[in-house]
Amino acid sequence: MKLTVIGCSPAWPNPGGAQSGYLVESDGTRVLLDCGPGVLARLREAEPWPTPDAIVISHFHLDHWGDLVPWVWGSMFQAGGHTPPALWLPPGGRAALADHGSRLGFASMFEQVFAAREYAPQAPFAVGALTLTMAPMLHYRMPAYGARVEAGGATLAYSADTGPTDALSELGRDADLFLCEATLRDAAADGVPRGHLCAAEAVAAAQRAGARRLLITHRPYELPLDEGLELAYDGLETPV
C-alpha cells in the first residue's frame, strides 16, 4: 500500500498548500480520502483529469470536501467521458450534498457526477483491493469519521479531524502508519466539546494504539513541531 499526501493544510491553507486530500493505492486500486480545496488542482498535475476508484469523505467541514464542487463542474463541462468515482459519504451525506447543491447549483448536481453512497460506522466495505472501516471521532458537534484502510497485510489509520477520544486507540490499533491530525498548539487552545488534537495528544494516541509509525498532519505552518516527530507535507509519497 502507498500513501500520497495531496494536501494536508488545516482549515486555513498553509502557504502554497492544499487542504485535506490523501491518495491511498494498492494493487491498482486508488482511493482518495477527503477532497478539500486545492486537491483537484494538485491531482490534475499528474493526470489531465483524476480517475480514482473512490473518494471517501470524513465529514462536512469545507476543508475536507470543498473540491467536490469544482470536480462536478469540470466533469459536466470539460472533462466528461470518465467513469465517475464512487463517492462514499457519512451517514446522511446524500441529503447534505443535495442541500449544498440546491444552494450552489441544483440539488442533484453531485449525484449526476458521482456514484454516491453512504458508509455505515464500523462496517467494513471494499473498494477494489482496499478494505475501509469508518469510525466515529470527536469533532465538536460535527459528525466526523476516521478511516482504517487495510490491504495486503498493511494498515493505514487516518484520524480525520478529532479531539481526544478512546476511539483513536481502536482506529490506530497496530497500524503500520497512523496519519493523525495535530492542529493545536496545546489542549487549552481548543473549545468544548473538543474537536482537534495538539501534537502531544497525537503522540499519546499513537502510543496507546501501538501504531508503528506516526505521521502528523493538518498542522498549521505557524506551529513548530518537536524534533523527532514526522510531519506530512504536500507531495509526500510513502509506503505503508
Side-chain angles (χ1 to χ4, degrees):
M1 191 157 47
K2 173 185 173 184
L3 169 68
T4 302
V5 177
I6 309 300
C8 59
S9 291
W12 58 98
N14 289 325
Q19 290 173 307
S20 293
Y22 306 93
L23 187 64
V24 185
E25 303 174 73
S26 180
D27 198 23
T29 300
R30 302 192 305 156
V31 171
L32 180 65
L33 301 176
D34 284 333
C35 188
V39 167
L40 178 57
R42 289 280 168 80
L43 289 171
R44 295 194 67 196
E45 292 176 344
E47 53 186 320
W49 195 256
T51 55
D53 297 283
I55 302 170
V56 180
I57 300 300
S58 66
H59 67 291
F60 280 108
H61 279 155
L62 186 65
D63 57 315
H64 289 258
W65 76 273
D67 257 16
L68 294 183
V69 178
W71 202 308
V72 164
W73 300 134
S75 296
M76 285 184 172
F77 296 111
Q78 297 292 334
H82 298 290
T83 301
L87 177 61
W88 287 91
L89 302 167
R94 295 179 72 179
L97 280 187
D99 180 62
H100 287 302
S102 69
R103 301 165 195 275
L104 297 171
F106 50 95
S108 64
M109 59 185 277
F110 296 100
E111 298 272 0
Q112 286 192 20
V113 168
F114 300 107
R117 59 200 73 181
E118 298 176 8
Y119 51 77
Q122 304 292 10
F125 62 94
V127 180
L130 299 173
T131 299
L132 297 94
T133 306
M134 308 300 292
M137 296 289 109
L138 175 66
H139 191 44
Y140 305 117
R141 292 180 173 85
M142 165 67 71
Y145 297 83
R148 187 176 173 89
V149 187
E150 298 170 288
T155 300
L156 165 71
Y158 167 50
S159 70
D161 284 4
T162 187
T165 170
D166 290 342
L168 278 171
S169 296
E170 183 59 26
L171 182 78
R173 176 178 45 84
D174 299 327
D176 296 284
L177 178 59
F178 192 4
L179 180 64
C180 189
E181 76 120 82
T183 308
L184 304 176
R185 182 184 303 277
D186 53 49
D190 209 2
V192 177
R194 293 289 303 276
H196 287 292
L197 301 170
C198 67
E201 290 170 328
V203 170
Q207 290 174 341
R208 286 193 300 270
R212 295 175 179 84
R213 178 184 172 196
L214 172 65
L215 181 61
I216 297 291
T217 193
H218 211 264
R219 183 79 172 172
Y221 171 83
E222 296 83 358
L223 294 184
L225 197 63
D226 289 347
E227 187 175 350
L229 294 180
E230 188 176 3
L231 181 65
Y233 58 88
D234 293 14
L236 171 65
E237 298 182 8
T238 183
V240 177

